[in-house]
Coordinates of all heavy atoms in Angstrom, one line a residue:
M1 N 0.8 -1.1 0.0 CA 0.0 0.1 0.0 C 0.9 1.3 0.0 O 0.6 2.2 -0.6 CB -1.0 0.0 1.1 CG -1.9 1.1 1.2 SD -3.0 1.3 2.6 CE -4.0 -0.1 2.5
F2 N 1.9 1.2 0.8 CA 2.9 2.3 0.8 C 3.4 2.6 -0.7 O 3.5 3.7 -1.0 CB 4.1 2.0 1.8 CG 5.0 3.2 1.7 CD1 4.8 4.4 2.3 CD2 6.2 3.0 1.1 CE1 5.7 5.5 2.4 CE2 7.2 4.0 1.1 CZ 7.0 5.2 1.7
A3 N 3.8 1.5 -1.4 CA 4.4 1.8 -2.7 C 3.2 2.5 -3.6 O 3.5 3.3 -4.4 CB 4.8 0.5 -3.3
F4 N 2.1 2.0 -3.4 CA 1.0 2.7 -4.2 C 0.8 4.1 -3.9 O 0.6 4.9 -4.7 CB -0.3 1.8 -4.1 CG -1.5 2.1 -5.0 CD1 -1.5 1.9 -6.3 CD2 -2.3 3.0 -4.5 CE1 -2.5 2.3 -7.1 CE2 -3.4 3.5 -5.4 CZ -3.5 3.1 -6.8
Q5 N 0.8 4.4 -2.6 CA 0.6 5.8 -2.1 C 1.8 6.7 -2.6 O 1.6 7.8 -3.1 CB 0.4 5.8 -0.6 CG -0.9 5.3 -0.1 CD -0.8 5.3 1.4 OE1 0.2 5.3 2.0 NE2 -2.1 5.2 1.9
F6 N 3.0 6.1 -2.5 CA 4.2 6.8 -3.1 C 4.0 7.1 -4.6 O 4.3 8.2 -4.9 CB 5.4 6.0 -2.8 CG 6.6 6.6 -3.3 CD1 7.2 7.8 -2.6 CD2 7.3 6.2 -4.4 CE1 8.4 8.4 -3.0 CE2 8.4 6.8 -4.8 CZ 9.0 7.9 -4.2
Y7 N 3.6 6.1 -5.3 CA 3.4 6.3 -6.7 C 2.4 7.4 -6.9 O 2.6 8.3 -7.9 CB 3.0 4.9 -7.4 CG 2.5 5.0 -8.7 CD1 3.4 5.3 -9.8 CD2 1.2 5.0 -9.2 CE1 3.0 5.4 -11.1 CE2 0.8 5.2 -10.4 CZ 1.8 5.3 -11.4 OH 1.4 5.5 -12.8
Q8 N 1.2 7.3 -6.3 CA 0.1 8.2 -6.5 C 0.5 9.7 -6.1 O 0.1 10.6 -6.7 CB -1.1 7.8 -5.8 CG -1.8 6.6 -6.3 CD -2.3 7.0 -7.8 OE1 -2.8 8.0 -8.1 NE2 -2.2 6.1 -8.6
G9 N 1.2 9.9 -4.9 CA 1.6 11.0 -4.4 C 2.7 11.8 -5.1 O 2.7 13.0 -5.2
S10 N 3.7 11.0 -5.5 CA 4.8 11.8 -6.0 C 5.1 11.5 -7.6 O 5.7 12.4 -8.2 CB 6.1 11.3 -5.4 OG 6.2 9.8 -5.5
L11 N 4.8 10.4 -8.1 CA 5.1 10.2 -9.5 C 3.9 10.6 -10.5 O 4.2 10.8 -11.6 CB 5.5 8.7 -9.7 CG 6.6 8.3 -8.9 CD1 7.0 6.8 -9.1 CD2 7.9 9.1 -9.2
V12 N 2.7 10.7 -10.0 CA 1.6 11.0 -10.9 C 1.7 12.6 -11.0 O 1.6 13.2 -9.9 CB 0.2 10.5 -10.5 CG1 -0.9 10.9 -11.2 CG2 0.4 9.0 -10.5
E13 N 1.5 13.1 -12.2 CA 1.5 14.5 -12.4 C 0.3 15.2 -11.9 O 0.4 16.3 -11.2 CB 1.8 14.9 -13.9 CG 3.2 14.5 -14.3 CD 3.5 14.8 -15.7 OE1 2.7 15.5 -16.4 OE2 4.5 14.3 -16.3
D14 N -0.8 14.6 -12.1 CA -2.1 15.2 -11.5 C -2.4 14.7 -10.2 O -3.2 13.8 -10.0 CB -3.3 14.8 -12.5 CG -4.5 15.6 -12.1 OD1 -4.4 16.6 -11.5 OD2 -5.7 15.1 -12.7
S15 N -1.8 15.2 -9.2 CA -1.9 14.8 -7.8 C -3.1 15.6 -7.0 O -3.1 15.5 -5.8 CB -0.6 14.8 -7.0 OG -0.2 16.2 -6.9
T16 N -3.9 16.3 -7.7 CA -5.0 16.9 -7.0 C -6.1 16.0 -6.7 O -6.8 16.2 -5.9 CB -5.6 18.1 -7.9 OG1 -5.9 17.6 -9.2 CG2 -4.4 19.1 -8.1
K17 N -6.2 14.8 -7.5 CA -7.3 13.9 -7.3 C -6.7 12.6 -6.7 O -6.6 11.6 -7.4 CB -8.0 13.6 -8.6 CG -8.6 14.7 -9.3 CD -9.2 14.3 -10.6 CE -9.7 15.4 -11.4 NZ -10.3 14.9 -12.7
I18 N -6.2 12.7 -5.5 CA -5.7 11.5 -4.9 C -6.8 10.8 -4.1 O -7.7 11.3 -3.4 CB -4.5 11.9 -3.8 CG1 -3.4 12.6 -4.7 CG2 -4.1 10.8 -3.1 CD1 -2.3 13.1 -3.7
D19 N -6.8 9.4 -4.2 CA -7.7 8.6 -3.5 C -9.1 8.7 -3.9 O -10.1 8.6 -3.1 CB -7.6 8.8 -2.0 CG -6.2 8.2 -1.4 OD1 -5.7 7.3 -2.1 OD2 -6.0 8.6 -0.4
E20 N -9.5 8.9 -5.2 CA -10.9 8.9 -5.5 C -11.2 7.4 -6.0 O -12.1 6.8 -5.3 CB -11.1 9.8 -6.7 CG -11.1 11.1 -6.4 CD -11.5 12.2 -7.5 OE1 -11.8 11.6 -8.7 OE2 -11.4 13.3 -7.4
N21 N -10.6 6.9 -7.0 CA -10.9 5.4 -7.4 C -9.6 4.5 -7.1 O -9.8 3.3 -7.3 CB -11.1 5.3 -8.9 CG -12.5 6.2 -9.2 OD1 -13.3 6.0 -8.4 ND2 -12.5 6.6 -10.4
E22 N -8.5 5.1 -6.6 CA -7.5 4.4 -6.4 C -7.5 3.4 -5.3 O -6.9 2.3 -5.2 CB -6.3 5.2 -6.1 CG -5.6 6.1 -7.3 CD -6.5 7.3 -7.7 OE1 -7.3 7.6 -6.8 OE2 -6.4 7.7 -8.8
I23 N -8.3 3.7 -4.3 CA -8.5 2.8 -3.1 C -9.1 1.5 -3.6 O -8.9 0.4 -3.0 CB -9.4 3.5 -2.0 CG1 -9.4 2.6 -0.7 CG2 -10.9 3.7 -2.5 CD1 -8.2 2.7 -0.1
L24 N -9.8 1.4 -4.7 CA -10.4 0.2 -5.2 C -9.3 -0.6 -5.7 O -9.3 -1.9 -5.6 CB -11.4 0.4 -6.3 CG -12.7 1.2 -5.9 CD1 -13.6 1.5 -7.2 CD2 -13.4 0.5 -5.0
Y25 N -8.2 0.0 -6.3 CA -7.1 -0.8 -6.7 C -6.4 -1.4 -5.6 O -5.8 -2.5 -5.7 CB -6.1 0.0 -7.7 CG -6.7 0.5 -8.9 CD1 -6.8 1.8 -9.2 CD2 -7.4 -0.4 -9.9 CE1 -7.4 2.3 -10.4 CE2 -7.9 0.1 -11.1 CZ -8.0 1.4 -11.3 OH -8.5 1.8 -12.4
V26 N -6.3 -0.6 -4.6 CA -5.5 -1.0 -3.4 C -6.2 -2.2 -2.7 O -5.6 -3.2 -2.3 CB -5.3 0.0 -2.4 CG1 -4.7 -0.5 -1.0 CG2 -4.4 1.1 -3.0
I27 N -7.5 -2.2 -2.6 CA -8.4 -3.2 -2.1 C -8.2 -4.5 -2.9 O -8.1 -5.6 -2.3 CB -9.8 -2.8 -1.9 CG1 -9.9 -1.7 -0.9 CG2 -10.7 -4.0 -1.6 CD1 -11.5 -1.0 -0.8
A28 N -8.3 -4.4 -4.2 CA -8.2 -5.6 -5.0 C -6.8 -6.3 -4.9 O -6.7 -7.5 -4.7 CB -8.4 -5.2 -6.6
V29 N -5.8 -5.4 -4.8 CA -4.5 -6.0 -4.7 C -4.3 -6.6 -3.3 O -3.7 -7.7 -3.1 CB -3.3 -4.9 -4.9 CG1 -2.0 -5.4 -4.5 CG2 -3.3 -4.5 -6.4
T30 N -4.8 -5.9 -2.3 CA -4.8 -6.5 -0.9 C -5.5 -7.8 -0.8 O -5.0 -8.7 0.0 CB -5.3 -5.4 0.1 OG1 -4.6 -4.2 -0.1 CG2 -5.1 -5.9 1.6
M31 N -6.7 -7.9 -1.5 CA -7.5 -9.1 -1.4 C -6.6 -10.4 -1.9 O -7.0 -11.5 -1.6 CB -8.7 -9.0 -2.1 CG -9.7 -8.1 -1.4 SD -11.3 -7.7 -2.3 CE -11.9 -9.4 -2.6
V32 N -5.8 -10.1 -2.8 CA -5.0 -11.2 -3.3 C -3.6 -11.4 -2.5 O -3.3 -12.7 -2.1 CB -4.5 -10.8 -4.7 CG1 -3.5 -11.9 -5.3 CG2 -5.7 -10.8 -5.7
I33 N -3.1 -10.6 -2.0 CA -1.7 -10.5 -1.2 C -2.0 -11.1 0.1 O -1.3 -11.9 0.6 CB -1.0 -9.2 -1.2 CG1 -0.5 -8.8 -2.7 CG2 0.1 -9.2 -0.2 CD1 0.2 -7.6 -2.8
V34 N -3.0 -10.7 0.8 CA -3.2 -11.0 2.3 C -3.5 -12.5 2.4 O -2.8 -13.1 3.2 CB -4.4 -10.1 2.9 CG1 -4.8 -10.8 4.2 CG2 -3.9 -8.7 3.0
P35 N -4.3 -13.2 1.7 CA -4.5 -14.6 1.9 C -3.1 -15.4 1.6 O -2.8 -16.4 2.2 CB -5.5 -14.9 0.9 CG -6.4 -13.8 0.6 CD -5.3 -12.7 0.8
I36 N -2.4 -15.0 0.6 CA -1.1 -15.5 0.2 C -0.2 -15.5 1.5 O 0.4 -16.4 1.8 CB -0.6 -15.0 -1.1 CG1 -1.4 -15.4 -2.2 CG2 0.9 -15.6 -1.3 CD1 -0.9 -14.7 -3.5
V37 N 0.0 -14.3 2.0 CA 0.9 -14.1 3.1 C 0.4 -14.8 4.4 O 1.2 -15.4 5.1 CB 0.9 -12.6 3.4 CG1 1.7 -12.4 4.8 CG2 1.8 -11.9 2.3
Y38 N -0.9 -15.0 4.6 CA -1.5 -15.7 5.7 C -1.1 -17.2 5.5 O -0.8 -17.8 6.6 CB -3.1 -15.4 5.9 CG -3.6 -16.0 7.1 CD1 -3.3 -15.5 8.3 CD2 -4.3 -17.2 7.0 CE1 -3.8 -16.1 9.4 CE2 -4.8 -17.7 8.1 CZ -4.5 -17.2 9.4 OH -5.1 -17.7 10.5
F39 N -1.4 -17.7 4.3 CA -1.1 -19.1 4.1 C 0.3 -19.5 4.4 O 0.7 -20.4 5.1 CB -1.5 -19.4 2.8 CG -1.3 -20.9 2.3 CD1 -2.1 -21.9 2.9 CD2 -0.3 -21.3 1.5 CE1 -2.0 -23.1 2.6 CE2 0.0 -22.5 1.3 CZ -0.8 -23.5 1.7
I40 N 1.2 -18.6 4.0 CA 2.6 -18.8 4.2 C 2.9 -18.7 5.7 O 3.6 -19.6 6.3 CB 3.5 -17.8 3.5 CG1 3.4 -18.1 2.0 CG2 4.9 -17.8 3.9 CD1 4.0 -16.9 1.1
R41 N 2.4 -17.9 6.4 CA 2.4 -17.6 7.8 C 2.0 -18.9 8.6 O 2.8 -19.5 9.5 CB 1.7 -16.5 8.3 CG 1.7 -16.3 9.9 CD 0.6 -15.5 10.4 NE 0.5 -15.7 11.8 CZ 0.0 -16.6 12.5 NH1 -0.6 -17.7 11.9 NH2 0.0 -16.6 13.8
V42 N 0.8 -19.3 8.2 CA 0.2 -20.7 8.8 C 1.2 -21.9 8.6 O 1.5 -22.6 9.6 CB -1.2 -21.0 8.4 CG1 -1.6 -22.3 8.7 CG2 -2.0 -19.9 8.8
K43 N 1.6 -22.0 7.4 CA 2.6 -23.0 7.2 C 3.9 -23.0 8.0 O 4.4 -24.1 8.5 CB 3.0 -23.1 5.8 CG 1.9 -23.6 4.8 CD 1.7 -25.0 4.9 CE 0.9 -25.5 3.8 NZ 0.7 -27.0 3.9
L44 N 4.5 -21.9 8.1 CA 5.7 -21.6 8.8 C 5.4 -21.8 10.4 O 6.2 -22.5 11.0 CB 6.3 -20.2 8.6 CG 6.8 -20.0 7.2 CD1 7.3 -18.7 7.0 CD2 8.0 -20.9 7.0
V45 N 4.4 -21.4 10.8 CA 4.1 -21.4 12.3 C 3.8 -22.9 12.6 O 4.3 -23.4 13.6 CB 2.8 -20.6 12.7 CG1 2.3 -21.0 14.1 CG2 3.3 -19.1 12.6
D46 N 3.1 -23.6 11.7 CA 2.8 -25.1 12.1 C 4.1 -25.9 11.9 O 4.3 -26.8 12.9 CB 1.8 -25.6 11.0 CG 0.4 -25.1 11.2 OD1 0.1 -24.6 12.3 OD2 -0.5 -25.5 10.4
K47 N 4.9 -25.5 11.1 CA 6.1 -26.3 10.9 C 7.2 -26.1 12.0 O 7.6 -27.0 12.6 CB 6.7 -26.2 9.5 CG 7.8 -27.2 9.2 CD 8.2 -27.2 7.7 CE 9.1 -28.3 7.5 NZ 9.4 -28.2 6.0
Y48 N 7.5 -24.8 12.2 CA 8.6 -24.6 12.9 C 8.2 -24.1 14.4 O 9.0 -24.3 15.5 CB 9.3 -23.3 12.5 CG 10.0 -23.8 11.1 CD1 9.5 -23.2 9.9 CD2 11.0 -24.6 11.1 CE1 10.0 -23.6 8.7 CE2 11.6 -25.1 9.8 CZ 11.2 -24.5 8.7 OH 11.7 -24.9 7.5
V49 N 7.0 -23.7 14.7 CA 6.7 -23.4 16.1 C 5.9 -24.5 16.8 O 6.3 -25.0 17.8 CB 5.7 -22.2 16.2 CG1 5.2 -21.8 17.5 CG2 6.4 -20.8 15.6
H50 N 5.0 -25.1 16.1 CA 4.2 -26.3 16.7 C 4.8 -27.5 16.3 O 4.4 -28.6 16.9 CB 2.8 -26.1 16.1 CG 2.0 -24.9 16.5 ND1 1.8 -24.6 17.9 CD2 1.5 -23.9 15.9 CE1 1.1 -23.4 18.0 NE2 0.9 -23.0 16.7
G51 N 5.7 -27.6 15.4 CA 6.3 -28.9 15.1 C 5.4 -29.8 14.2 O 5.6 -31.0 14.3
I52 N 4.5 -29.3 13.6 CA 3.5 -30.1 12.7 C 4.2 -30.3 11.4 O 4.3 -29.3 10.6 CB 2.1 -29.5 12.7 CG1 1.5 -29.3 14.1 CG2 1.2 -30.3 11.9 CD1 0.3 -28.6 14.2
D53 N 4.6 -31.5 11.1 CA 5.0 -31.8 9.7 C 4.0 -32.7 9.0 O 3.7 -33.8 9.4 CB 6.4 -32.4 9.9 CG 7.1 -32.7 8.6 OD1 6.7 -32.0 7.6 OD2 8.1 -33.4 8.4
L54 N 3.4 -32.1 8.0 CA 2.3 -32.8 7.2 C 2.8 -34.1 6.6 O 2.2 -35.1 6.5 CB 1.6 -31.9 6.4 CG 0.8 -30.8 7.0 CD1 0.2 -29.8 6.0 CD2 -0.2 -31.3 8.1
K55 N 4.0 -34.1 6.1 CA 4.5 -35.2 5.4 C 4.7 -36.3 6.3 O 4.5 -37.5 6.0 CB 5.9 -34.8 4.6 CG 5.7 -33.8 3.4 CD 7.0 -33.5 2.8 CE 6.7 -32.6 1.6 NZ 7.9 -32.2 0.9
A56 N 5.3 -36.0 7.5 CA 5.5 -37.1 8.5 C 4.2 -37.7 8.9 O 4.1 -38.8 9.1 CB 6.3 -36.5 9.6
M57 N 3.3 -36.8 9.1 CA 2.0 -37.2 9.6 C 1.3 -38.1 8.5 O 0.8 -39.2 8.8 CB 1.0 -36.1 9.8 CG 1.4 -35.4 11.0 SD 0.5 -33.8 11.3 CE -1.0 -34.5 12.0
D58 N 1.5 -37.8 7.2 CA 0.9 -38.6 6.1 C 1.6 -40.0 6.1 O 0.9 -40.9 5.9 CB 1.1 -37.8 4.8 CG 0.5 -38.6 3.6 OD1 -0.8 -39.0 3.8 OD2 0.9 -38.6 2.5
T59 N 3.0 -40.1 6.3 CA 3.6 -41.2 6.4 C 3.2 -42.1 7.4 O 3.0 -43.2 7.3 CB 5.1 -41.0 6.4 OG1 5.6 -40.2 5.3 CG2 6.0 -42.3 6.4
E60 N 3.0 -41.5 8.6 CA 2.6 -42.3 9.6 C 1.1 -42.8 9.6 O 0.8 -43.9 9.9 CB 2.5 -41.4 11.0 CG 2.3 -42.0 12.2 CD 2.6 -41.2 13.4 OE1 3.3 -40.2 13.3 OE2 1.8 -41.4 14.4
L61 N 0.3 -42.1 8.9 CA -1.0 -42.5 8.5 C -1.0 -43.7 7.7 O -1.7 -44.6 7.8 CB -1.9 -41.4 8.0 CG -3.4 -41.6 7.7 CD1 -4.1 -42.0 8.9 CD2 -4.0 -40.4 7.0
K62 N -0.2 -43.6 6.5 CA -0.1 -44.7 5.7 C 0.4 -46.1 6.4 O -0.1 -47.1 6.1 CB 1.0 -44.4 4.6 CG 0.3 -43.4 3.6 CD 1.3 -43.1 2.4 CE 0.8 -42.1 1.5 NZ 1.8 -41.7 0.4
L63 N 1.4 -46.0 7.2 CA 2.0 -47.0 8.0 C 0.7 -47.5 8.9 O 0.6 -48.8 8.9 CB 3.1 -46.7 8.9 CG 4.4 -46.4 8.1 CD1 5.3 -45.8 9.1 CD2 4.8 -47.6 7.5
H64 N -0.1 -46.8 9.4 CA -1.2 -47.3 10.3 C -2.2 -48.0 9.4 O -2.7 -49.0 9.8 CB -1.8 -46.1 11.1 CG -3.0 -46.5 11.9 ND1 -2.7 -47.2 13.1 CD2 -4.3 -46.2 11.8 CE1 -3.9 -47.4 13.6 NE2 -4.9 -46.7 12.9
K65 N -2.5 -47.5 8.3 CA -3.4 -48.2 7.4 C -2.9 -49.6 7.0 O -3.6 -50.4 6.9 CB -3.7 -47.3 6.1 CG -4.6 -46.1 6.5 CD -4.9 -45.2 5.2 CE -5.8 -44.2 5.6 NZ -6.0 -43.2 4.3
E66 N -1.6 -49.6 6.6 CA -0.9 -50.8 6.3 C -1.0 -51.9 7.4 O -1.4 -53.1 7.2 CB 0.4 -50.6 5.8 CG 0.7 -49.9 4.6 CD 2.1 -49.7 4.1 OE1 3.1 -50.0 4.8 OE2 2.3 -49.0 3.1
K67 N -0.8 -51.4 8.6 CA -0.7 -52.3 9.8 C -2.2 -52.8 9.9 O -2.4 -54.0 10.2 CB -0.4 -51.6 11.0 CG 1.2 -51.5 11.1 CD 1.7 -50.7 12.4 CE 3.1 -50.3 12.4 NZ 3.4 -49.7 13.7
E68 N -3.2 -51.9 9.8 CA -4.5 -52.3 10.0 C -5.0 -53.4 9.0 O -5.7 -54.3 9.2 CB -5.5 -51.0 9.8 CG -6.9 -51.3 10.3 CD -7.0 -51.6 11.8 OE1 -6.2 -51.1 12.5 OE2 -8.0 -52.2 12.1
A69 N -4.6 -53.1 7.7 CA -4.9 -54.1 6.5 C -4.2 -55.4 7.0 O -4.8 -56.5 6.7 CB -4.4 -53.5 5.2
I70 N -2.9 -55.4 7.5 CA -2.2 -56.7 7.7 C -3.0 -57.4 8.8 O -3.2 -58.7 8.9 CB -0.7 -56.4 8.1 CG1 -0.1 -56.0 6.7 CG2 -0.1 -57.6 8.7 CD1 1.3 -55.5 7.1
R71 N -3.5 -56.6 9.9 CA -4.1 -57.2 11.0 C -5.4 -57.9 10.5 O -5.8 -59.0 10.9 CB -4.5 -56.1 12.1 CG -5.0 -56.7 13.4 CD -5.5 -55.6 14.3 NE -6.5 -54.8 13.7 CZ -7.8 -55.0 13.7 NH1 -8.2 -56.0 14.1 NH2 -8.6 -54.1 13.2
K72 N -6.2 -57.2 9.6 CA -7.5 -57.8 9.2 C -7.1 -59.0 8.4 O -7.9 -60.1 8.5 CB -8.2 -56.8 8.3 CG -8.8 -55.7 9.1 CD -9.6 -54.7 8.1 CE -10.1 -53.6 8.9 NZ -10.8 -52.7 8.1
E73 N -6.1 -59.1 7.6 CA -5.8 -60.3 6.8 C -5.3 -61.4 7.7 O -5.8 -62.5 7.4 CB -4.6 -59.9 5.9 CG -4.3 -60.9 4.9 CD -5.4 -61.1 3.8 OE1 -6.2 -60.1 3.4 OE2 -5.5 -62.2 3.4
L74 N -4.6 -61.0 8.8 CA -4.2 -62.1 9.9 C -5.5 -62.7 10.5 O -5.6 -63.9 10.7 CB -3.3 -61.5 10.8 CG -2.8 -62.4 11.9 CD1 -1.9 -63.4 11.2 CD2 -1.8 -61.6 12.9
E75 N -6.5 -61.9 10.8 CA -7.8 -62.3 11.4 C -8.5 -63.3 10.4 O -9.0 -64.3 10.8 CB -8.7 -61.2 11.8 CG -8.1 -60.3 13.0 CD -9.0 -59.2 13.4 OE1 -10.0 -59.0 12.6 OE2 -8.7 -58.6 14.4
K76 N -8.4 -63.0 9.1 CA -9.1 -63.8 8.2 C -8.4 -65.1 8.2 O -9.1 -66.2 8.1 CB -9.0 -63.1 6.8 CG -10.2 -62.5 6.3 CD -10.2 -62.3 4.8 CE -10.3 -60.8 4.5 NZ -10.2 -60.5 3.0
L77 N -7.1 -65.1 8.1 CA -6.4 -66.4 8.1 C -6.6 -67.2 9.3 O -6.7 -68.4 9.2 CB -4.9 -66.1 7.9 CG -4.4 -65.5 6.5 CD1 -3.0 -65.2 6.6 CD2 -4.8 -66.7 5.4
E78 N -6.7 -66.5 10.5 CA -6.9 -67.2 11.8 C -8.4 -67.9 11.6 O -8.6 -69.1 12.0 CB -6.9 -66.3 12.9 CG -5.5 -65.9 13.3 CD -4.7 -67.1 13.9 OE1 -5.3 -67.9 14.5 OE2 -3.5 -67.1 13.6
R79 N -9.3 -67.2 11.2 CA -10.6 -67.8 11.0 C -10.7 -69.0 10.1 O -11.5 -70.0 10.4 CB -11.7 -66.7 10.6 CG -12.1 -65.8 11.7 CD -13.2 -64.8 11.3 NE -12.4 -63.6 11.0 CZ -12.8 -62.7 10.2 NH1 -13.9 -62.7 9.6 NH2 -12.0 -61.6 9.9
R80 N -9.9 -68.8 9.0 CA -9.9 -69.9 8.0 C -9.3 -71.2 8.7 O -9.7 -72.3 8.5 CB -9.1 -69.6 6.8 CG -9.9 -68.7 5.8 CD -9.1 -68.5 4.6 NE -9.8 -67.6 3.7 CZ -9.2 -67.0 2.7 NH1 -8.0 -67.3 2.3 NH2 -9.8 -66.2 1.8
R81 N -8.2 -70.9 9.4 CA -7.4 -72.0 10.2 C -8.4 -72.6 11.2 O -8.4 -73.9 11.2 CB -6.3 -71.4 10.8 CG -5.3 -72.6 11.4 CD -4.0 -72.0 11.9 NE -4.2 -71.1 12.9 CZ -4.2 -71.3 14.3 NH1 -4.1 -72.5 14.7 NH2 -4.4 -70.4 15.2
E82 N -9.2 -71.9 11.9 CA -10.1 -72.5 12.8 C -11.2 -73.3 12.1 O -11.5 -74.3 12.6 CB -10.7 -71.4 13.8 CG -9.8 -70.7 14.7 CD -10.4 -69.6 15.4 OE1 -11.6 -69.3 15.3 OE2 -9.7 -68.9 16.1
A83 N -11.6 -72.7 11.1 CA -12.8 -73.5 10.3 C -12.2 -74.8 9.8 O -12.9 -75.8 9.8 CB -13.3 -72.5 9.2
L84 N -10.9 -74.7 9.2 CA -10.4 -76.0 8.7 C -10.0 -76.9 9.9 O -10.2 -78.1 9.7 CB -9.1 -75.7 8.0 CG -9.2 -75.1 6.6 CD1 -7.9 -74.6 6.1 CD2 -10.0 -75.9 5.7
S85 N -9.6 -76.5 11.0 CA -9.4 -77.5 12.1 C -10.7 -78.0 12.7 O -10.7 -79.2 13.2 CB -8.7 -76.7 13.3 OG -9.5 -75.8 13.8
K86 N -11.8 -77.3 12.6 CA -13.1 -77.9 13.0 C -13.6 -79.0 12.1 O -14.2 -79.9 12.5 CB -14.1 -76.9 13.3 CG -13.9 -75.9 14.2 CD -15.0 -74.8 14.5 CE -14.6 -73.9 15.7 NZ -15.6 -72.9 15.7
K87 N -13.2 -78.8 10.8 CA -13.7 -79.8 9.8 C -13.0 -81.1 9.9 O -13.4 -82.1 9.7 CB -13.6 -79.2 8.4 CG -14.6 -78.2 8.1 CD -14.4 -77.7 6.6 CE -15.4 -76.6 6.2 NZ -15.2 -76.2 4.9
S88 N -11.8 -81.0 10.4 CA -10.8 -82.1 10.5 C -11.2 -83.1 11.6 O -11.7 -82.9 12.6 CB -9.4 -81.8 10.6 OG -9.0 -80.9 9.5

């Protein structure tokens, strides 16, 4: 915003009409820049302040799902073994 005000105040030759429609340009640019800066801030705070690493969490979640799938498969095999032992 400072750069825009500097441009409008010093570099534009017709400086008698300052801030008539220019505030709309500042609002539009701010609406784009603020979410980008906030998103970067959230990422940095999560990673370096809170110690939240999304890649590590994703890897841990995948390992948990694999363990759960192996556990279910083992239970299936145990039921089949019991069913076969009852038939014999």
Side-chain angles (χ1 to χ4, degrees):
M1 186 184 291
F2 176 73
F4 187 78
Q5 288 174 341
F6 179 73
Y7 171 75
Q8 287 296 322
S10 62
L11 300 178
V12 176
E13 291 179 15
D14 185 22
S15 62
T16 58
K17 299 179 186 178
I18 296 177
D19 288 339
E20 287 184 7
N21 292 327
E22 288 82 15
I23 191 71
L24 297 176
Y25 298 123
V26 171
I27 290 172
V29 169
T30 305
M31 287 175 57
V32 173
I33 291 175
V34 168
I36 292 170
V37 170
Y38 185 76
F39 180 71
I40 292 169
R41 179 209 168 269
V42 166
K43 288 288 195 180
L44 290 174
V45 167
D46 283 349
K47 188 169 187 177
Y48 295 110
V49 175
H50 298 295
I52 299 172
D53 188 10
L54 294 178
K55 290 180 183 178
M57 291 174 77
D58 189 39
T59 304
E60 189 174 328
L61 183 62
K62 285 179 184 179
L63 286 173
H64 180 69
K65 286 181 181 180
E66 289 174 4
K67 286 181 183 179
E68 193 67 27
I70 290 171
R71 187 186 60 79
K72 286 181 182 180
E73 192 67 32
L74 183 61
E75 287 176 359
K76 257 196 239 181
L77 291 173
E78 287 291 326
R79 280 184 265 156
R80 284 185 186 171
R81 188 174 57 90
E82 289 175 4
L84 285 175
S85 66
K86 287 181 183 179
K87 286 183 181 180
S88 302

